Amino acid sequence: MKRLDSTPKKDGFRMPGEFEPHRGSYIIWPERPDNWRLGGKPAQHVFLEVIKKISKYEPITVCVSREQYSNVLNLIPTNGNVRVVEMSNNDSWIRDCGATFVVNDKGALRGIDWTFNAWGGLVDGLYFPWDQDDKIASKMCELERVPRYRLDDFILEGGSIHVDGEGTCMVTSECLLSEGRNSTMTKRQIEKVLCEYLNCTKVLWIPRGIYNDETNGHVDNICNFVRPGVVVLAWTDNKKDPQYAISKEALEYLESEVDAKGRKLEIHKLLLPKPILITKEESLGVDAVDGTLPRQKGDRLAASYVNYYTVNGAIIMPTFNDPNDELAVKTLQELYPDRKIETVYAREILLGGGNIHCITQQVPRG
Ligand code: KQY
């Protein structure tokens, strides 16, 4: 399909909010043994559960290596909503390496293909190489038969942005201004690229993401748009937790801002689970490989209910076997009265460094 030299804004395309109707979803099957314990088997069971839940609501494409292709074909539900496609990859974070889709008001769809460098390249990236992941966005555009905007000189992951579909984009300074991304650009230059490609007029710069998040603090783990003007923010009341100062700073920032339409934001706190640490057994199950982030016993994981995925008619929300699971379901049900809250016990995804939002990518209906 065609590679476009223009920008979405110039062509009248915008990135819709995740809560707007989807054509479908994508996911990549996990297997690399230096990220997923026990060769990825426990994580695969959880990914399968996520696939099953999403497929109740919309079509989903499962991208899988040739080694796992037959296995996945035999595992997936036969409800007509799941297709399996062989696709080379370095790991399974399609939120970050996949295409960001944009739509126009005539119903046309296009893809944005940012440069992906595994969350920081040779500065503080999480694995090497990432060449196959950097091709995923273009493969998605081919499968969707849509033209593609490729940015060879701009590094971005889908999990580091959220939009309200009405001109507001939300990021964290910790991530977008990190050394391993676009360090030769100023904040204003970065903002200009975001506004041009997502078709926004306002960027909200939350200072930091969730404590110890290995993505340099992706916004999709700390804050999300429920709908235009309404956000949900990861929160703890425990002042001794390093997360407290981070969430408080985010709250104060968001309270002091307005969105692209000049609205004050309605901010809802989503209480975090208690700190979750890697166990010795879990640590021992991950291959230790030079150049890949080690998984050590006692490391704190960046657990957050905010890393949920919004699909047509439902929310796919991670749970952690924590007393706050129930409260999170209740909070999200109140915020999304017209959607079913589907839960997945997601510790195995969390152990890989992210959660349900990080492993999924939507294709808007257009
Ligand atoms: O978006 C994410 N949270 C991805 C994290 C990547 C972790 C790789 N180990």
Side-chain angles (χ1 to χ4, degrees), residues 28-48 68 71-72 75 91-92 282 285-287 348-349 351-352:
I28 304 174
W29 192 248
E31 57 180 294
R32 65 179 290 158
D34 57 349
N35 191 66
W36 302 103
R37 73 189 185 104
L38 308 177
K41 285 298 153 203
Q44 287 173 5
H45 291 298
V46 184
F47 272 56
L48 186 60
Q68 280 289 305
N71 177 36
V72 175
L75 287 172
D91 202 356
S92 41
E282 287 165 345
V286 183
D287 288 2
E348 293 296 338
I349 309 177
L351 284 167

Side-chain angles (χ1 to χ4, degrees), residues 211-230:
Y211 176 71
N212 224 20
D213 187 325
E214 62 199 60
T215 62
N216 307 93
H218 272 185
V219 75
D220 71 345
N221 218 12
I222 189 162
C223 197
N224 190 12
F225 286 108
V226 173
R227 55 185 168 274
V230 181

